[in-house]
Amino acid sequence: MILKNLIGTAAFVALMFTVSAFSCTDKAEETLQNSTSNNNGFAVLELFTSEGCSSCPPADQLMGEIEKQYKDQPVYILAYHVDYWNNLGWKDKFSSVENSKRQQQYAQTLRSQVYTPQLIVNGKKEFIGSDRDAVENAIQIALLNDTNAKIDLSAKVSEKEINVNFKVQENNPQNKLLITLVEKKSSTNVQKGENEGRHLVHWQIVHQQNQISLKNSPEGTTSFKLPANFNTNDWEIIGMIQNVKSGAILGSAEASF
């Protein structure tokens, strides 16, 4: 009888410890979520990538996973395909010289090297884009610490173009509004170069980006040429306010079609 009582007592203590542990975990997660919500934080992830780079597919895949994981939180992903890999065996159809120039601008403001895959978070921190731990850590820090400046966006589609209406409260001449047309997902069968024979899947691909000075235009309209085979389910508009001097991103938002 004594042995049974001891076993019963031990089992009860173990059960209470387990319940307490789960309770602490739940409270910690709830605290993080509440802190994030109350602080109105956000995270903009800018990936510089290329279909000609054999190190880039893991970073592209990670962006797809992050997009799914944080779909209900203010985490915005933009994948810029650079063009300086194009003369090394394979031309990336999503690449542009504008994307490469944007990365070079970051290299100057952040005093970093130009490489792929490179990820920049809120214009402040850069690291290898396939480093999951670094990405997760940077997102949590941004959500808890970076207050999101308000941006009102709405988009309307016509036969030939997409018109985006914007309104912000920022009027600092050193800040600009970047409005970007993003394709949510696409893929390519690579036939040459470092990724020859591979089927590559990409997420949040930057196609066009309009830059607007906020000195005299806190509200207005900008437009994009309508892509071929466009539909509102596969594309989105992302806007962000960026300080020209520091490169820091002060706020971001998605537009509803």
Side-chain angles (χ1 to χ4, degrees), residues 8 22-23 36 56 62 73 78 80 92 94 102 115 127 138-139 142-143 146 151 160 188 216 219 226-227 245-246 254:
F22 276 114
S23 177
T36 300
C56 288
L62 179 57
Q73 298 188 52
L78 300 97
Y80 299 85
D92 187 338
F94 300 112
R102 181 160 179 78
Y115 64 92
F127 46 83
I139 289 174
L143 290 177
D146 291 355
I151 306 173
K160 296 184 179 180
T188 302
N216 300 313
E219 62 180 299
L226 195 69
K245 186 175 181 180
S246 69
E254 293 181 15

Side-chain angles (χ1 to χ4, degrees), residues 86-125:
N86 288 354
N87 60 351
L88 298 176
W90 177 253
K91 184 176 180 179
D92 187 338
K93 65 182 179 181
F94 300 112
S95 66
S96 71
V97 63
E98 289 80 12
N99 292 346
S100 299
K101 287 181 178 179
R102 181 160 179 78
Q103 187 182 27
Q104 291 166 3
Q105 291 172 352
Y106 271 129
Q108 295 176 1
T109 56
L110 299 178
R111 298 182 180 179
S112 66
Q113 296 180 340
V114 172
Y115 64 92
T116 55
Q118 182 183 34
L119 188 72
I120 298 175
V121 179
N122 284 4
K124 302 175 182 178
K125 183 178 180 62

Side-chain angles (χ1 to χ4, degrees), residues 48-53 56 60 79-97 99 116 186-188 190 192 195 200 202 205-207:
F48 293 91
T49 184
S50 172
E51 292 183 340
C53 162
C56 288
D60 294 331
Y80 299 85
H81 288 239
V82 297
D83 71 338
Y84 50 81
W85 279 91
N86 288 354
N87 60 351
L88 298 176
W90 177 253
K91 184 176 180 179
D92 187 338
K93 65 182 179 181
F94 300 112
S95 66
S96 71
V97 63
N99 292 346
T116 55
S186 188
S187 62
T188 302
V190 180
K192 295 181 181 179
N195 289 312
L200 301 183
H202 310 297
I205 308 157
V206 170
H207 279 258

Side-chain angles (χ1 to χ4, degrees), residues 54-86:
S54 61
S55 301
C56 288
D60 294 331
Q61 177 66 32
L62 179 57
M63 292 304 101
E65 295 172 4
I66 293 294
E67 173 70 14
K68 182 178 180 180
Q69 179 180 348
Y70 290 91
K71 65 179 181 178
D72 297 323
Q73 298 188 52
V75 176
Y76 309 96
I77 301 173
L78 300 97
Y80 299 85
H81 288 239
V82 297
D83 71 338
Y84 50 81
W85 279 91
N86 288 354

Side-chain angles (χ1 to χ4, degrees), residues 8-255:
T9 302
F12 176 76
V13 172
L15 176 61
M16 293 301 295
F17 178 81
T18 302
V19 171
S20 176
F22 276 114
S23 177
C24 290
T25 301
D26 292 341
K27 288 181 179 179
E29 292 177 351
E30 183 180 353
T31 299
L32 176 60
Q33 292 173 357
N34 290 339
S35 297
T36 300
S37 176
N38 293 337
N39 194 58
N40 192 30
F42 75 103
V44 174
L45 278 59
E46 296 182 87
L47 175 69
F48 293 91
T49 184
S50 172
E51 292 183 340
C53 162
S54 61
S55 301
C56 288
D60 294 331
Q61 177 66 32
L62 179 57
M63 292 304 101
E65 295 172 4
I66 293 294
E67 173 70 14
K68 182 178 180 180
Q69 179 180 348
Y70 290 91
K71 65 179 181 178
D72 297 323
Q73 298 188 52
V75 176
Y76 309 96
I77 301 173
L78 300 97
Y80 299 85
H81 288 239
V82 297
D83 71 338
Y84 50 81
W85 279 91
N86 288 354
N87 60 351
L88 298 176
W90 177 253
K91 184 176 180 179
D92 187 338
K93 65 182 179 181
F94 300 112
S95 66
S96 71
V97 63
E98 289 80 12
N99 292 346
S100 299
K101 287 181 178 179
R102 181 160 179 78
Q103 187 182 27
Q104 291 166 3
Q105 291 172 352
Y106 271 129
Q108 295 176 1
T109 56
L110 299 178
R111 298 182 180 179
S112 66
Q113 296 180 340
V114 172
Y115 64 92
T116 55
Q118 182 183 34
L119 188 72
I120 298 175
V121 179
N122 284 4
K124 302 175 182 178
K125 183 178 180 62
E126 68 86 21
F127 46 83
I128 297 173
S130 56
D131 187 339
R132 178 182 290 273
D133 289 341
V135 173
E136 293 275 8
N137 184 57
I139 289 174
Q140 294 303 326
I141 291 175
L143 290 177
L144 288 171
N145 294 286
D146 291 355
T147 302
N148 198 355
K150 186 177 181 181
I151 306 173
D152 292 324
L153 294 175
S154 64
K156 183 178 293 185
V157 181
S158 66
E159 293 183 0
K160 296 184 179 180
E161 63 183 10
I162 302 169
N163 294 307
V164 182
N165 296 320
F166 64 87
K167 183 178 181 180
V168 300
Q169 297 178 349
E170 290 285 332
N171 58 4
N172 187 332
Q174 290 189 344
N175 294 339
K176 59 184 177 181
L177 176 65
L178 281 68
I179 299 181
T180 310
L181 177 62
V182 176
E183 186 176 9
K184 295 181 181 179
K185 185 178 179 181
S186 188
S187 62
T188 302
N189 292 316
V190 180
Q191 300 174 9
K192 295 181 181 179
E194 291 189 2
N195 289 312
E196 181 178 358
R198 300 185 65 177
H199 178 75
L200 301 183
V201 181
H202 310 297
W203 285 265
Q204 297 298 109
I205 308 157
V206 170
H207 279 258
Q208 302 175 53
Q209 187 172 78
N210 296 345
Q211 300 187 15
I212 303 163
S213 172
L214 296 178
K215 182 178 181 180
N216 300 313
S217 303
E219 62 180 299
T221 302
T222 189
S223 62
F224 299 100
K225 181 180 178 181
L226 195 69
N229 302 318
F230 174 87
N231 69 79
T232 56
N233 293 326
D234 296 335
W235 296 74
E236 65 182 4
I237 302 291
I238 295 177
M240 54 186 175
I241 300 172
Q242 186 167 38
N243 185 277
V244 177
K245 186 175 181 180
S246 69
I249 295 174
L250 309 177
S252 189
E254 293 181 15

